[in-house]
Amino acid sequence: MTSALPFDDFRNLLAALPPAETAAETKVRALFAKADQPGNSLGRIEDIAAWLAAWSGRAPPVVTRPLVAIFAGNHGVTRHRISPRPVAATANAVELCAAGGAAVNQICIANDLGLKVFDLALHIPTADLTEEAALDERGCAATMAFGMEAIAGGTDLLCLGDLGVGNSTVGAALFVALFGGKGADWVGPGSGADAAMQARKAEAVDAAIAFHGTSLGDPLEALRRVGGREFAAIAGAILAARMQKIPVLIDGVAATAAAAVLHAANPAALDHCLLAGLSPEPAHIRAAERLGLRPLLDLGISHGEGAGAALAAGLVKAAALTSAG
């Protein structure tokens, strides 16, 4: 008897990604060209509308069921004192969203967006990635599959964010695994780390990279070994959206690191994605450049808790209406 490995289905999907609907994109650009105005006078609004058409297959595009999906996870690496916030802050943030009191709640109301917040076993942090794999393959694959279910209720624009104390350190570890360098090249202040704490973050990243060694050459192995549950779920959500022709907005360092895993496996894996905005975290700027992602907004929002994606969704909705009207 033979049995497939847990990652096999994801590898197969990454090898057979559906392409863009170029006819829909061409139609939208033709609609703008016919308008009684100077060519490309609306700048990136025209590009956003064309992108939306290409990846939804609808021309002119429409956005009627936008969804902000936020994935929350906790990390064993926080025991190295790499965050100024207690681990309990992740659950507190989830509860605040559930109660309607977070910034993203208000932005969703303003832009008429749906909102889902996913608690990814916050009571069971992932293993300390400096000493063992954060997740085993089965657990990582299951979390990716769970992330794919974010679109199950139906959506035509998926906006992704994250919650997780310590996940800027985890994101830095993934960036080193995927792009190279040292921990010091990719860590930053995160949620307010001082110089000493940033040094501990860099040490933790370097220890993780040294421990896992050549196993990190495979992107999905890197995801399970030095990633975390919210990273795996976001990667699954991005992949599911691609298969279902749903355009995606990415927000924050963690979501960008999760996206980078898919890009490493297939450079075309993020063609249906736009970057909502840049955080002040230096690693985010560098990673966006490596991935060829140009942000829609630059508002200095420092965390990827979905607020940036929700704001950018309003811009995408306006682009769709502009092309249609």
Side-chain angles (χ1 to χ4, degrees):
M1 293 180 63
T2 60
S3 60
L5 294 172
F7 281 150
D8 284 354
D9 287 341
F10 299 103
R11 297 190 199 284
N12 292 336
L13 290 176
L14 284 162
L17 297 173
E21 297 281 351
T22 55
E25 178 181 1
T26 299
K27 182 176 180 180
V28 167
R29 293 198 180 278
L31 287 172
F32 280 115
K34 288 196 301 182
D36 186 15
Q37 61 189 32
N40 199 37
S41 63
L42 291 175
R44 290 194 73 189
I45 292 296
E46 297 184 20
D47 295 335
I48 293 167
W51 164 82
L52 194 61
W55 292 106
S56 67
R58 304 171 74 175
V62 294
V63 178
T64 59
R65 301 189 66 186
L67 173 68
V68 177
I70 301 174
F71 296 93
N74 276 326
H75 304 273
V77 72
T78 56
R79 73 181 186 87
H80 295 285
R81 298 183 297 124
I82 48 84
S83 175
R85 304 170 72 204
V87 172
T90 306
N92 292 342
V94 170
E95 292 173 6
L96 185 62
C97 284
V104 69
N105 295 95
Q106 322 320 318
I107 300 168
C108 285
I109 293 170
N111 287 329
D112 195 19
L113 313 174
L115 175 63
K116 294 181 181 178
V117 183
F118 298 90
D119 173 340
L120 301 173
L122 294 181
H123 60 294
I124 309 174
T126 55
D128 180 359
L129 51 82
T130 68
E131 298 179 351
E132 55 185 307
L135 296 164
D136 61 25
E137 184 171 340
R138 186 176 300 277
C140 187
T143 306
M144 291 179 72
F146 181 82
M148 298 180 86
E149 293 298 313
I151 64 170
T155 181
D156 48 21
L157 178 66
L158 181 62
C159 312
L160 294 170
D162 66 89
L163 287 167
V165 172
N167 68 12
S168 67
T169 300
V170 176
L174 273 173
F175 290 142
V176 173
L178 299 171
F179 298 140
K182 297 289 186 181
D185 299 325
W186 292 98
V187 300
S191 56
D194 60 18
M197 186 169 285
Q198 289 185 55
R200 291 196 295 273
K201 292 173 71 170
E203 290 170 2
V205 169
D206 290 339
I209 299 301
F211 178 81
H212 295 286
T214 57
S215 298
L216 300 176
D218 178 89
L220 294 181
E221 277 293 302
L223 177 64
R224 81 168 186 90
R225 288 174 177 271
V226 298
R229 292 190 183 94
E230 70 269 47
F231 295 82
I234 289 170
I238 293 172
L239 188 53
R242 177 61 166 268
M243 306 311 293
Q244 296 298 318
K245 295 185 178 180
I246 301 169
V248 173
L249 293 176
I250 298 168
D251 182 27
V253 173
T256 302
V261 171
L262 301 180
H263 184 272
N266 183 338
L270 304 183
D271 289 353
H272 66 304
C273 301
L274 291 182
L275 181 62
L278 281 177
S279 76
E281 194 80 355
H284 199 201
I285 299 168
R286 294 180 59 201
E289 291 174 349
R290 295 289 291 267
L291 296 172
L293 294 173
R294 182 183 172 196
L296 294 179
L297 304 171
D298 188 4
L299 300 176
I301 297 174
S302 60
H303 296 289
E305 298 170 355
L311 286 164
L315 187 60
V316 173
K317 290 177 67 178
L321 287 169
T322 302
S323 68

PDB file of all heavy atoms in Angstrom, residues 31-61:
ATOM      1  N   LEU A  31     -12.937  49.631 -21.851  1.00  0.00           N
ATOM      2  CA  LEU A  31     -13.977  50.514 -21.324  1.00  0.00           C
ATOM      3  C   LEU A  31     -13.383  51.845 -20.871  1.00  0.00           C
ATOM      4  O   LEU A  31     -13.937  52.916 -21.150  1.00  0.00           O
ATOM      5  CB  LEU A  31     -14.692  49.837 -20.150  1.00  0.00           C
ATOM      6  CG  LEU A  31     -15.645  48.691 -20.482  1.00  0.00           C
ATOM      7  CD1 LEU A  31     -16.114  48.012 -19.205  1.00  0.00           C
ATOM      8  CD2 LEU A  31     -16.836  49.198 -21.279  1.00  0.00           C
ATOM      9  N   PHE A  32     -12.268  51.793 -20.198  1.00  0.00           N
ATOM     10  CA  PHE A  32     -11.612  53.030 -19.770  1.00  0.00           C
ATOM     11  C   PHE A  32     -11.109  53.831 -20.973  1.00  0.00           C
ATOM     12  O   PHE A  32     -11.171  55.063 -20.986  1.00  0.00           O
ATOM     13  CB  PHE A  32     -10.452  52.723 -18.823  1.00  0.00           C
ATOM     14  CG  PHE A  32     -10.864  52.442 -17.407  1.00  0.00           C
ATOM     15  CD1 PHE A  32     -10.663  51.195 -16.840  1.00  0.00           C
ATOM     16  CD2 PHE A  32     -11.455  53.424 -16.633  1.00  0.00           C
ATOM     17  CE1 PHE A  32     -11.038  50.939 -15.526  1.00  0.00           C
ATOM     18  CE2 PHE A  32     -11.838  53.188 -15.324  1.00  0.00           C
ATOM     19  CZ  PHE A  32     -11.630  51.941 -14.773  1.00  0.00           C
ATOM     20  N   ALA A  33     -10.608  53.109 -21.973  1.00  0.00           N
ATOM     21  CA  ALA A  33     -10.056  53.787 -23.151  1.00  0.00           C
ATOM     22  C   ALA A  33     -11.137  54.548 -23.915  1.00  0.00           C
ATOM     23  O   ALA A  33     -10.848  55.563 -24.573  1.00  0.00           O
ATOM     24  CB  ALA A  33      -9.382  52.769 -24.070  1.00  0.00           C
ATOM     25  N   LYS A  34     -12.394  54.090 -23.843  1.00  0.00           N
ATOM     26  CA  LYS A  34     -13.486  54.742 -24.557  1.00  0.00           C
ATOM     27  C   LYS A  34     -14.005  55.986 -23.836  1.00  0.00           C
ATOM     28  O   LYS A  34     -14.763  56.771 -24.414  1.00  0.00           O
ATOM     29  CB  LYS A  34     -14.642  53.766 -24.755  1.00  0.00           C
ATOM     30  CG  LYS A  34     -14.379  52.686 -25.778  1.00  0.00           C
ATOM     31  CD  LYS A  34     -15.646  51.982 -26.217  1.00  0.00           C
ATOM     32  CE  LYS A  34     -16.383  51.336 -25.065  1.00  0.00           C
ATOM     33  NZ  LYS A  34     -17.584  50.611 -25.530  1.00  0.00           N
ATOM     34  N   ALA A  35     -13.631  56.139 -22.565  1.00  0.00           N
ATOM     35  CA  ALA A  35     -14.125  57.280 -21.796  1.00  0.00           C
ATOM     36  C   ALA A  35     -13.581  58.583 -22.356  1.00  0.00           C
ATOM     37  O   ALA A  35     -12.464  58.646 -22.884  1.00  0.00           O
ATOM     38  CB  ALA A  35     -13.721  57.127 -20.330  1.00  0.00           C
ATOM     39  N   ASP A  36     -14.377  59.637 -22.234  1.00  0.00           N
ATOM     40  CA  ASP A  36     -13.981  60.949 -22.747  1.00  0.00           C
ATOM     41  C   ASP A  36     -13.071  61.634 -21.729  1.00  0.00           C
ATOM     42  O   ASP A  36     -13.462  62.575 -21.032  1.00  0.00           O
ATOM     43  CB  ASP A  36     -15.227  61.799 -23.012  1.00  0.00           C
ATOM     44  CG  ASP A  36     -14.874  63.116 -23.682  1.00  0.00           C
ATOM     45  OD1 ASP A  36     -13.740  63.233 -24.177  1.00  0.00           O
ATOM     46  OD2 ASP A  36     -15.728  64.029 -23.691  1.00  0.00           O
ATOM     47  N   GLN A  37     -11.850  61.133 -21.660  1.00  0.00           N
ATOM     48  CA  GLN A  37     -10.867  61.668 -20.717  1.00  0.00           C
ATOM     49  C   GLN A  37      -9.487  61.295 -21.208  1.00  0.00           C
ATOM     50  O   GLN A  37      -9.343  60.397 -22.046  1.00  0.00           O
ATOM     51  CB  GLN A  37     -11.096  61.084 -19.317  1.00  0.00           C
ATOM     52  CG  GLN A  37     -10.968  59.563 -19.253  1.00  0.00           C
ATOM     53  CD  GLN A  37     -11.398  58.996 -17.916  1.00  0.00           C
ATOM     54  OE1 GLN A  37     -12.285  59.529 -17.266  1.00  0.00           O
ATOM     55  NE2 GLN A  37     -10.775  57.903 -17.514  1.00  0.00           N
ATOM     56  N   PRO A  38      -8.452  61.961 -20.736  1.00  0.00           N
ATOM     57  CA  PRO A  38      -7.086  61.601 -21.156  1.00  0.00           C
ATOM     58  C   PRO A  38      -6.759  60.149 -20.821  1.00  0.00           C
ATOM     59  O   PRO A  38      -7.259  59.596 -19.827  1.00  0.00           O
ATOM     60  CB  PRO A  38      -6.207  62.567 -20.354  1.00  0.00           C
ATOM     61  CG  PRO A  38      -7.110  63.706 -20.028  1.00  0.00           C
ATOM     62  CD  PRO A  38      -8.478  63.122 -19.846  1.00  0.00           C
ATOM     63  N   GLY A  39      -5.946  59.520 -21.635  1.00  0.00           N
ATOM     64  CA  GLY A  39      -5.575  58.131 -21.425  1.00  0.00           C
ATOM     65  C   GLY A  39      -4.948  57.882 -20.059  1.00  0.00           C
ATOM     66  O   GLY A  39      -4.103  58.649 -19.620  1.00  0.00           O
ATOM     67  N   ASN A  40      -5.398  56.814 -19.394  1.00  0.00           N
ATOM     68  CA  ASN A  40      -4.887  56.402 -18.085  1.00  0.00           C
ATOM     69  C   ASN A  40      -4.957  57.520 -17.044  1.00  0.00           C
ATOM     70  O   ASN A  40      -4.143  57.601 -16.132  1.00  0.00           O
ATOM     71  CB  ASN A  40      -3.443  55.909 -18.206  1.00  0.00           C
ATOM     72  CG  ASN A  40      -3.012  55.051 -17.020  1.00  0.00           C
ATOM     73  OD1 ASN A  40      -3.810  54.282 -16.488  1.00  0.00           O
ATOM     74  ND2 ASN A  40      -1.771  55.187 -16.604  1.00  0.00           N
ATOM     75  N   SER A  41      -5.959  58.369 -17.188  1.00  0.00           N
ATOM     76  CA  SER A  41      -6.060  59.512 -16.274  1.00  0.00           C
ATOM     77  C   SER A  41      -6.403  59.100 -14.846  1.00  0.00           C
ATOM     78  O   SER A  41      -6.151  59.848 -13.903  1.00  0.00           O
ATOM     79  CB  SER A  41      -7.112  60.505 -16.783  1.00  0.00           C
ATOM     80  OG  SER A  41      -8.391  59.912 -16.818  1.00  0.00           O
ATOM     81  N   LEU A  42      -6.961  57.912 -14.685  1.00  0.00           N
ATOM     82  CA  LEU A  42      -7.294  57.435 -13.341  1.00  0.00           C
ATOM     83  C   LEU A  42      -6.178  56.588 -12.727  1.00  0.00           C
ATOM     84  O   LEU A  42      -6.356  56.015 -11.654  1.00  0.00           O
ATOM     85  CB  LEU A  42      -8.609  56.644 -13.369  1.00  0.00           C
ATOM     86  CG  LEU A  42      -9.862  57.490 -13.652  1.00  0.00           C
ATOM     87  CD1 LEU A  42     -11.084  56.605 -13.783  1.00  0.00           C
ATOM     88  CD2 LEU A  42     -10.071  58.526 -12.549  1.00  0.00           C
ATOM     89  N   GLY A  43      -5.049  56.495 -13.405  1.00  0.00           N
ATOM     90  CA  GLY A  43      -3.877  55.839 -12.829  1.00  0.00           C
ATOM     91  C   GLY A  43      -4.132  54.429 -12.338  1.00  0.00           C
ATOM     92  O   GLY A  43      -4.670  53.586 -13.072  1.00  0.00           O
ATOM     93  N   ARG A  44      -3.773  54.165 -11.098  1.00  0.00           N
ATOM     94  CA  ARG A  44      -3.864  52.801 -10.575  1.00  0.00           C
ATOM     95  C   ARG A  44      -5.299  52.321 -10.398  1.00  0.00           C
ATOM     96  O   ARG A  44      -5.530  51.114 -10.277  1.00  0.00           O
ATOM     97  CB  ARG A  44      -3.106  52.688  -9.252  1.00  0.00           C
ATOM     98  CG  ARG A  44      -1.598  52.775  -9.415  1.00  0.00           C
ATOM     99  CD  ARG A  44      -0.889  52.328  -8.149  1.00  0.00           C
ATOM    100  NE  ARG A  44      -0.962  50.882  -7.960  1.00  0.00           N
ATOM    101  CZ  ARG A  44      -0.566  50.254  -6.853  1.00  0.00           C
ATOM    102  NH1 ARG A  44      -0.104  50.953  -5.831  1.00  0.00           N
ATOM    103  NH2 ARG A  44      -0.651  48.952  -6.745  1.00  0.00           N
ATOM    104  N   ILE A  45      -6.258  53.231 -10.356  1.00  0.00           N
ATOM    105  CA  ILE A  45      -7.652  52.800 -10.278  1.00  0.00           C
ATOM    106  C   ILE A  45      -7.991  51.928 -11.487  1.00  0.00           C
ATOM    107  O   ILE A  45      -8.665  50.896 -11.371  1.00  0.00           O
ATOM    108  CB  ILE A  45      -8.599  54.020 -10.206  1.00  0.00           C
ATOM    109  CG1 ILE A  45      -8.410  54.752  -8.875  1.00  0.00           C
ATOM    110  CG2 ILE A  45     -10.053  53.594 -10.375  1.00  0.00           C
ATOM    111  CD1 ILE A  45      -8.780  53.939  -7.655  1.00  0.00           C
ATOM    112  N   GLU A  46      -7.511  52.322 -12.655  1.00  0.00           N
ATOM    113  CA  GLU A  46      -7.740  51.521 -13.853  1.00  0.00           C
ATOM    114  C   GLU A  46      -7.035  50.163 -13.742  1.00  0.00           C
ATOM    115  O   GLU A  46      -7.585  49.127 -14.118  1.00  0.00           O
ATOM    116  CB  GLU A  46      -7.251  52.275 -15.089  1.00  0.00           C
ATOM    117  CG  GLU A  46      -8.001  53.575 -15.332  1.00  0.00           C
ATOM    118  CD  GLU A  46      -7.573  54.271 -16.614  1.00  0.00           C
ATOM    119  OE1 GLU A  46      -6.999  53.598 -17.499  1.00  0.00           O
ATOM    120  OE2 GLU A  46      -7.815  55.483 -16.731  1.00  0.00           O
ATOM    121  N   ASP A  47      -5.820  50.180 -13.209  1.00  0.00           N
ATOM    122  CA  ASP A  47      -5.073  48.929 -13.054  1.00  0.00           C
ATOM    123  C   ASP A  47      -5.763  47.998 -12.064  1.00  0.00           C
ATOM    124  O   ASP A  47      -5.821  46.777 -12.269  1.00  0.00           O
ATOM    125  CB  ASP A  47      -3.653  49.219 -12.580  1.00  0.00           C
ATOM    126  CG  ASP A  47      -2.833  49.979 -13.601  1.00  0.00           C
ATOM    127  OD1 ASP A  47      -3.142  49.875 -14.809  1.00  0.00           O
ATOM    128  OD2 ASP A  47      -1.883  50.675 -13.195  1.00  0.00           O
ATOM    129  N   ILE A  48      -6.294  48.550 -10.986  1.00  0.00           N
ATOM    130  CA  ILE A  48      -6.981  47.732  -9.982  1.00  0.00           C
ATOM    131  C   ILE A  48      -8.225  47.105 -10.582  1.00  0.00           C
ATOM    132  O   ILE A  48      -8.510  45.917 -10.375  1.00  0.00           O
ATOM    133  CB  ILE A  48      -7.339  48.583  -8.743  1.00  0.00           C
ATOM    134  CG1 ILE A  48      -6.072  49.025  -8.010  1.00  0.00           C
ATOM    135  CG2 ILE A  48      -8.241  47.800  -7.796  1.00  0.00           C
ATOM    136  CD1 ILE A  48      -6.328  50.106  -6.977  1.00  0.00           C
ATOM    137  N   ALA A  49      -8.989  47.888 -11.337  1.00  0.00           N
ATOM    138  CA  ALA A  49     -10.194  47.352 -11.964  1.00  0.00           C
ATOM    139  C   ALA A  49      -9.853  46.245 -12.958  1.00  0.00           C
ATOM    140  O   ALA A  49     -10.534  45.208 -13.016  1.00  0.00           O
ATOM    141  CB  ALA A  49     -10.957  48.476 -12.659  1.00  0.00           C
ATOM    142  N   ALA A  50      -8.781  46.446 -13.730  1.00  0.00           N
ATOM    143  CA  ALA A  50      -8.373  45.432 -14.699  1.00  0.00           C
ATOM    144  C   ALA A  50      -7.899  44.164 -13.998  1.00  0.00           C
ATOM    145  O   ALA A  50      -8.206  43.038 -14.429  1.00  0.00           O
ATOM    146  CB  ALA A  50      -7.274  45.989 -15.605  1.00  0.00           C
ATOM    147  N   TRP A  51      -7.136  44.343 -12.912  1.00  0.00           N
ATOM    148  CA  TRP A  51      -6.701  43.184 -12.103  1.00  0.00           C
ATOM    149  C   TRP A  51      -7.898  42.431 -11.543  1.00  0.00           C
ATOM    150  O   TRP A  51      -7.955  41.195 -11.589  1.00  0.00           O
ATOM    151  CB  TRP A  51      -5.794  43.687 -10.978  1.00  0.00           C
ATOM    152  CG  TRP A  51      -5.566  42.724  -9.866  1.00  0.00           C
ATOM    153  CD1 TRP A  51      -4.671  41.696  -9.828  1.00  0.00           C
ATOM    154  CD2 TRP A  51      -6.246  42.696  -8.593  1.00  0.00           C
ATOM    155  NE1 TRP A  51      -4.744  41.022  -8.623  1.00  0.00           N
ATOM    156  CE2 TRP A  51      -5.703  41.624  -7.852  1.00  0.00           C
ATOM    157  CE3 TRP A  51      -7.253  43.484  -8.021  1.00  0.00           C
ATOM    158  CZ2 TRP A  51      -6.157  41.313  -6.573  1.00  0.00           C
ATOM    159  CZ3 TRP A  51      -7.693  43.176  -6.745  1.00  0.00           C
ATOM    160  CH2 TRP A  51      -7.153  42.107  -6.034  1.00  0.00           C
ATOM    161  N   LEU A  52      -8.865  43.158 -11.038  1.00  0.00           N
ATOM    162  CA  LEU A  52     -10.052  42.545 -10.461  1.00  0.00           C
ATOM    163  C   LEU A  52     -10.808  41.733 -11.512  1.00  0.00           C
ATOM    164  O   LEU A  52     -11.269  40.610 -11.248  1.00  0.00           O
ATOM    165  CB  LEU A  52     -10.945  43.633  -9.873  1.00  0.00           C
ATOM    166  CG  LEU A  52     -12.085  43.227  -8.945  1.00  0.00           C
ATOM    167  CD1 LEU A  52     -11.550  42.527  -7.706  1.00  0.00           C
ATOM    168  CD2 LEU A  52     -12.901  44.458  -8.551  1.00  0.00           C
ATOM    169  N   ALA A  53     -10.919  42.284 -12.710  1.00  0.00           N
ATOM    170  CA  ALA A  53     -11.586  41.566 -13.790  1.00  0.00           C
ATOM    171  C   ALA A  53     -10.814  40.318 -14.183  1.00  0.00           C
ATOM    172  O   ALA A  53     -11.394  39.235 -14.388  1.00  0.00           O
ATOM    173  CB  ALA A  53     -11.748  42.487 -15.001  1.00  0.00           C
ATOM    174  N   ALA A  54      -9.488  40.447 -14.270  1.00  0.00           N
ATOM    175  CA  ALA A  54      -8.652  39.319 -14.700  1.00  0.00           C
ATOM    176  C   ALA A  54      -8.771  38.131 -13.763  1.00  0.00           C
ATOM    177  O   ALA A  54      -8.784  36.978 -14.198  1.00  0.00           O
ATOM    178  CB  ALA A  54      -7.194  39.768 -14.805  1.00  0.00           C
ATOM    179  N   TRP A  55      -8.879  38.412 -12.466  1.00  0.00           N
ATOM    180  CA  TRP A  55      -8.844  37.311 -11.507  1.00  0.00           C
ATOM    181  C   TRP A  55     -10.213  36.890 -10.984  1.00  0.00           C
ATOM    182  O   TRP A  55     -10.331  35.886 -10.302  1.00  0.00           O
ATOM    183  CB  TRP A  55      -7.890  37.643 -10.374  1.00  0.00           C
ATOM    184  CG  TRP A  55      -6.489  37.673 -10.893  1.00  0.00           C
ATOM    185  CD1 TRP A  55      -5.707  38.760 -11.115  1.00  0.00           C
ATOM    186  CD2 TRP A  55      -5.732  36.538 -11.338  1.00  0.00           C
ATOM    187  NE1 TRP A  55      -4.505  38.380 -11.672  1.00  0.00           N
ATOM    188  CE2 TRP A  55      -4.494  37.024 -11.811  1.00  0.00           C
ATOM    189  CE3 TRP A  55      -5.980  35.170 -11.381  1.00  0.00           C
ATOM    190  CZ2 TRP A  55      -3.510  36.184 -12.326  1.00  0.00           C
ATOM    191  CZ3 TRP A  55      -5.001  34.337 -11.885  1.00  0.00           C
ATOM    192  CH2 TRP A  55      -3.776  34.835 -12.350  1.00  0.00           C
ATOM    193  N   SER A  56     -11.241  37.655 -11.350  1.00  0.00           N
ATOM    194  CA  SER A  56     -12.605  37.216 -11.035  1.00  0.00           C
ATOM    195  C   SER A  56     -13.299  36.674 -12.274  1.00  0.00           C
ATOM    196  O   SER A  56     -14.299  35.943 -12.163  1.00  0.00           O
ATOM    197  CB  SER A  56     -13.423  38.381 -10.471  1.00  0.00           C
ATOM    198  OG  SER A  56     -13.638  39.387 -11.448  1.00  0.00           O
ATOM    199  N   GLY A  57     -12.782  37.055 -13.461  1.00  0.00           N
ATOM    200  CA  GLY A  57     -13.400  36.632 -14.701  1.00  0.00           C
ATOM    201  C   GLY A  57     -14.639  37.421 -15.057  1.00  0.00           C
ATOM    202  O   GLY A  57     -15.398  37.022 -15.947  1.00  0.00           O
ATOM    203  N   ARG A  58     -14.847  38.553 -14.391  1.00  0.00           N
ATOM    204  CA  ARG A  58     -16.045  39.356 -14.626  1.00  0.00           C
ATOM    205  C   ARG A  58     -15.654  40.741 -15.145  1.00  0.00           C
ATOM    206  O   ARG A  58     -14.820  41.414 -14.567  1.00  0.00           O
ATOM    207  CB  ARG A  58     -16.853  39.494 -13.334  1.00  0.00           C
ATOM    208  CG  ARG A  58     -17.216  38.158 -12.737  1.00  0.00           C
ATOM    209  CD  ARG A  58     -17.830  38.306 -11.350  1.00  0.00           C
ATOM    210  NE  ARG A  58     -19.198  38.812 -11.418  1.00  0.00           N
ATOM    211  CZ  ARG A  58     -19.986  38.937 -10.351  1.00  0.00           C
ATOM    212  NH1 ARG A  58     -19.527  38.611  -9.147  1.00  0.00           N
ATOM    213  NH2 ARG A  58     -21.215  39.388 -10.482  1.00  0.00           N
ATOM    214  N   ALA A  59     -16.280  41.145 -16.259  1.00  0.00           N
ATOM    215  CA  ALA A  59     -15.967  42.447 -16.854  1.00  0.00           C
ATOM    216  C   ALA A  59     -17.270  43.128 -17.296  1.00  0.00           C
ATOM    217  O   ALA A  59     -17.980  42.581 -18.142  1.00  0.00           O
ATOM    218  CB  ALA A  59     -15.035  42.270 -18.043  1.00  0.00           C
ATOM    219  N   PRO A  60     -17.568  44.285 -16.742  1.00  0.00           N
ATOM    220  CA  PRO A  60     -16.797  44.954 -15.694  1.00  0.00           C
ATOM    221  C   PRO A  60     -16.893  44.186 -14.382  1.00  0.00           C
ATOM    222  O   PRO A  60     -17.868  43.465 -14.134  1.00  0.00           O
ATOM    223  CB  PRO A  60     -17.458  46.338 -15.591  1.00  0.00           C
ATOM    224  CG  PRO A  60     -18.862  46.114 -16.056  1.00  0.00           C
ATOM    225  CD  PRO A  60     -18.759  45.079 -17.145  1.00  0.00           C
ATOM    226  N   PRO A  61     -15.899  44.336 -13.508  1.00  0.00           N
ATOM    227  CA  PRO A  61     -15.887  43.590 -12.240  1.00  0.00           C
ATOM    228  C   PRO A  61     -16.882  44.158 -11.243  1.00  0.00           C
ATOM    229  O   PRO A  61     -17.263  45.333 -11.325  1.00  0.00           O
ATOM    230  CB  PRO A  61     -14.459  43.773 -11.745  1.00  0.00           C
ATOM    231  CG  PRO A  61     -14.056  45.103 -12.310  1.00  0.00           C
ATOM    232  CD  PRO A  61     -14.726  45.207 -13.654  1.00  0.00           C
TER     233      PRO A  61
END
